Amino acid sequence: MRTRFAFQPRYFLFWLVYFAFAKAVFLLYHASRTADLPAGSVPRIFGYGLRLDASAAAYLCVFPFVLFVLGSLAGPRFPLERPVRGFTAVLGTVVALFTVADLELYRAWGFRLDATPLQYLNAPGEMLASAGSAPLLLLILVLVVVLGAGWLLYRWLVEPLPPLPAGFGRGRAALAGLLYLALLVVPLRGGLQQIPVNQSDVYFSAQPFANHAAVNVPWNVVNSLRLRDGGATNPYQFLPDTTARRLVRSVYTPPAAADSVPLLGPGHPRPNVLFIILESFTAKLVGHLGGEPGVTPTLDSLARTGVSFTHLYAAGDRSQKGLVALLSGYPNQPATSIIKYPRKTERLPHLARILKQAGYSTAYYHGGELAFANMKSYLLAAGYDHLTERADFRRQDQNSKWGAHDHVLFDRMLQQLPRQRQPFFVTAFTLSSHEPFEVPMRPRFPGTSEADQFRNSVFYTDHVLGRFLHQASQQPWWPNTLVVLVADHGHPLPGDTPNHAPAKFHVPLVLTGGALHPARRGRQVATVGSQTDVPATLLRQLRQPAANFTWSRDLLGSAPVTWPGGAAFYCFTDGFGVVTPAGTVTYDNVSRRPIDRDSAVPDAQLRLGQAYEQESFADFLRK
């Protein structure tokens, strides 16, 4: 028979079971990944995840437990059931929404829901555009199922609340309630150990998906909100500081000024620079980088007549992170992004600022809203003379869910570049190859899958880029122009590449334009490098100072003595990867162990990655 004093443990049990059900929904939604797990992993996911589930449940129990104590003191006059039911309905709905949103976000981003989406709240239209490829009807159905299961579970486990037993005083009842409330401290902290529970306590497998599945999503969201400012201490302390600094300096010690291979032709001491950032152009779809043939014929043709860097890796996995890496040569952070902090980004070097000081005029073009992910504050701090964004295009030209499609963007540039004072540094950022991959042309590749839509969107941008460059080559300013073509980041599509894998971060970098020396055309640079190396490489060609870009090295200069083939560092949520000619090692910051490691990778390469993570985040904290 149910008694009044079973309410508190039953209420705690309700949340535990609700979280377990949400975990089961996650595993079913990602059934193909679940099926690939080693035998016995699924029960361990629930078992190891129980500590975070219990911690989250305890936090959600505090308010109802306090109400229970007050209700016990007040007696029958205190309406306990209604406020507890209302509180549970609101929080249960929030948990259900988190659960359903996490299903698709994990598929797209490769990490569980945290505070990252809050970066985009100031641009709800762009958030909806990103969600355009999500199976909304299926997600709504899952939401209904999760909400319905929660309601049935609550009715079965919690209600009704019996009255106080006859002869049982209110004081004694309140004391019993206080005892249960005090006992919540144990699950709140995840046990009786000295250090409170954290993500690493639920990590148990060498398979990242299994570890991610064990994480409690509401706990993860709240915890990331608490940590989103980076804190005052460095959580990535792997090595003694002197050792970490020495290892990082071994990569970024600048070579002699005469060391760089010159790419510009004679008579071009101050060429125009057209810096075009290509949304989501993964090397997996770039033929000359070993990707699928026929998707990027323009880029492949330019690689044959220009200079291609065949082993470049994105520093991170989001557009705003790629922007900072490419224009400021600054590393990414694994659980946040420096672009969210205008105070910090104001202290970053910037290509536009350096070249403006050298007499260049500057402009930035984008078909979408620059407020998205706080990019506008970063660009304003850089001092661009003119910014063109979505609001600057005619309403009928805002023909994409994100804003103006890429052909509209390039047409605007063709109109305005003849009026741009030379020499100029003009940055353009495409958008049509972003989700939901809807482009204004007939499909080049058959099929209706998301991967097919992505291929078609990349082909469209590559096609209109080729048309733009052909028309630009007829302009008077073209012979004195260097064009930089580079991706902002890679993509899990096609092939659903794991979040940590180097294939997701491999991106193209091609230099072309009339200012390129004829003898350098067709050159391939095999040095392993990062997006952060683009600024130093470009500035050395322009004979401009690059000393302030301390996280950037010239890919056309001599490689570091300790890493003769070059090295590239990238980070993803709660982890990093290091690529050298020897191979790749990826590392999980939470479990503090490698995820994957190629057989030829030396221990020194892993230590380099740890040193880079430690030193770059320490620098971020100092900004």
Side-chain angles (χ1 to χ4, degrees):
M1 181 178 177
R2 186 174 302 187
T3 70
R4 181 180 180 87
F5 298 105
F7 162 76
Q8 286 167 291
R10 281 177 173 271
Y11 189 80
F12 180 79
L13 181 62
F14 157 74
W15 283 114
L16 276 185
V17 177
Y18 194 37
F19 289 143
F21 179 75
K23 210 178 300 289
V25 169
F26 178 82
L27 291 170
L28 286 172
Y29 194 86
H30 299 283
S32 60
R33 297 193 184 194
T34 304
D36 290 337
L37 293 176
S41 293
V42 171
R44 298 177 76 193
I45 287 171
F46 286 92
Y48 276 86
L50 187 60
R51 292 182 68 187
L52 283 188
D53 292 342
S55 180
Y59 278 106
L60 295 175
C61 285
V62 170
F63 179 69
F65 280 25
V66 170
L67 282 182
F68 182 83
V69 173
L70 296 176
S72 297
L73 284 172
R77 294 171 298 172
F78 191 88
L80 185 59
E81 281 193 5
R82 185 171 296 176
V84 171
R85 185 187 305 132
F87 171 85
T88 308
V90 171
L91 270 296
T93 302
V94 170
V95 170
L97 289 171
F98 282 175
T99 299
V100 174
D102 173 67
L103 298 176
E104 272 299 300
L105 286 175
Y106 186 83
R107 184 189 61 79
W109 291 359
F111 58 87
R112 302 304 297 270
L113 180 66
D114 58 13
T116 300
L118 296 180
Q119 299 176 43
Y120 312 119
L121 289 181
N122 62 344
E126 281 69 15
M127 290 178 65
L128 291 175
S130 269
S133 58
L136 294 180
L137 290 178
L138 175 61
L139 293 176
I140 291 171
L141 176 61
V142 173
L143 178 62
V144 171
V145 169
V146 173
L147 288 172
W151 180 78
L152 291 173
L153 188 64
Y154 183 81
R155 294 295 302 270
W156 176 53
L157 277 176
V158 179
E159 290 192 342
L161 178 63
L164 276 174
F168 204 94
R170 298 178 188 177
R172 290 173 61 194
L175 186 61
L178 278 172
L179 177 62
Y180 277 124
L181 182 60
L183 288 174
L184 283 180
V185 173
V186 177
L188 274 173
R189 299 184 74 258
L192 299 174
Q193 73 285 350
Q194 184 178 2
I195 301 174
V197 67
N198 56 60
Q199 269 187 314
S200 63
D201 290 315
V202 305
Y203 277 37
F204 67 93
S205 174
Q207 300 291 326
F209 176 74
N211 296 327
H212 297 165
V215 171
N216 179 281
V217 166
W219 185 94
N220 200 50
V221 171
V222 174
N223 186 63
S224 65
L225 283 171
R226 181 175 62 87
L227 298 175
R228 65 192 304 225
D229 288 337
T233 59
N234 191 344
Y236 311 113
Q237 197 73 31
F238 301 104
L239 303 166
D241 289 335
T242 54
T243 302
R245 282 193 291 269
R246 175 176 54 79
L247 291 174
V248 169
R249 278 200 302 267
S250 72
V251 176
Y252 290 101
T253 300
D259 189 45
S260 187
V261 176
L263 298 180
L264 301 178
H268 299 290
R270 285 159 52 87
N272 305 312
V273 178
L274 193 53
F275 198 104
I276 300 177
I277 304 172
L278 302 167
E279 170 68 51
S280 301
F281 263 54
T282 171
K284 292 183 289 183
L285 294 182
V286 179
H288 78 272
L289 297 180
E292 296 181 13
V295 184
T296 58
T298 295
L299 210 57
D300 295 336
S301 175
L302 293 172
R304 292 191 294 270
T305 59
V307 177
S308 175
F309 296 76
T310 57
H311 291 83
L312 190 85
Y313 290 84
D317 52 7
R318 308 303 301 168
S319 295
Q320 68 273 20
K321 295 184 176 185
L323 199 66
V324 173
L326 288 169
L327 298 179
S328 293
Y330 198 72
N332 288 176
Q333 296 73 49
T336 185
S337 175
I338 195 171
I339 204 169
K340 299 191 315 184
Y341 311 98
R343 178 181 62 81
K344 293 179 181 288
T345 54
E346 289 170 2
R347 302 180 183 182
L348 294 178
H350 199 290
L351 282 174
R353 189 182 305 124
I354 293 291
L355 294 177
K356 190 173 181 179
Q357 292 169 356
Y360 280 67
S361 67
T362 58
Y364 186 94
Y365 291 85
H366 183 53
E369 293 186 20
L370 294 181
F372 187 63
N374 213 33
M375 289 190 288
K376 192 167 189 177
S377 68
Y378 169 68
L379 298 172
L380 289 172
Y384 278 98
D385 296 325
H386 184 71
L387 302 177
T388 298
E389 59 174 318
R390 180 174 188 162
D392 298 309
F393 292 90
R394 297 179 304 170
R395 175 63 61 179
Q396 59 265 38
D397 288 334
Q398 296 180 29
N399 48 2
S400 158
K401 289 185 177 180
W402 286 95
H405 268 303
D406 292 343
H407 76 276
V408 177
L409 177 76
F410 287 135
D411 287 346
R412 170 66 66 89
M413 292 173 63
L414 284 171
Q415 295 170 10
Q416 295 188 350
L417 282 175
R419 299 192 292 271
Q420 185 85 31
R421 179 178 60 80
Q422 299 186 53
F424 58 69
F425 175 72
V426 171
T427 309
F429 199 159
T430 69
L431 58 72
S432 296
S433 46
H434 196 290
E435 295 95 340
F437 312 129
E438 296 175 355
V439 290
M441 69 176 293
R442 293 179 59 185
R444 168 76 176 195
F445 301 95
T448 58
S449 70
E450 191 176 21
D452 292 324
Q453 292 175 336
F454 180 47
R455 289 185 183 91
N456 282 306
S457 70
V458 170
F459 179 84
Y460 158 78
T461 295
D462 180 84
H463 172 72
V464 297
L465 170 67
R467 189 185 68 177
F468 163 74
L469 292 177
H470 174 73
Q471 293 175 296
S473 67
Q474 313 302 314
Q475 302 297 318
W477 48 265
W478 176 263
N480 190 42
T481 298
L482 176 67
V483 181
V484 180
L485 302 168
V486 64
D488 61 336
H489 55 75
H491 206 281
L493 293 175
D496 198 22
T497 303
N499 192 45
H500 63 275
K504 182 184 174 185
F505 294 85
H506 190 196
V507 294
L509 170 60
V510 175
L511 305 183
T512 186
L516 204 62
H517 196 295
R520 304 301 185 194
R521 298 182 183 275
R523 180 186 180 95
Q524 289 196 343
V525 180
T527 302
V528 176
S530 165
Q531 282 178 326
T532 58
D533 298 324
V534 172
T537 304
L538 177 61
L539 290 172
R540 292 289 294 279
Q541 292 297 311
L542 301 177
R543 300 184 180 89
Q544 297 298 322
N548 289 338
F549 294 81
T550 56
W551 295 93
S552 186
R553 64 184 178 87
D554 183 6
L555 295 177
L556 293 165
S558 59
V561 174
T562 50
W563 302 100
F569 177 95
Y570 61 81
C571 72
F572 45 91
T573 298
D574 289 329
F576 66 79
V578 184
V579 186
T580 70
T584 304
V585 57
T586 54
Y587 189 82
D588 191 302
N589 289 332
V590 178
S591 62
R592 298 282 174 129
R593 62 186 177 190
I595 300 171
D596 283 325
R597 178 173 175 172
D598 293 336
S599 58
V601 167
D603 292 341
Q605 186 168 326
L606 175 58
R607 288 196 298 273
L608 173 64
Q610 292 173 326
Y612 190 103
E613 184 87 295
Q614 178 176 322
E615 279 294 288
S616 63
F617 199 81
D619 188 77
F620 162 77
L621 292 176
R622 289 191 295 266
K623 292 293 184 190

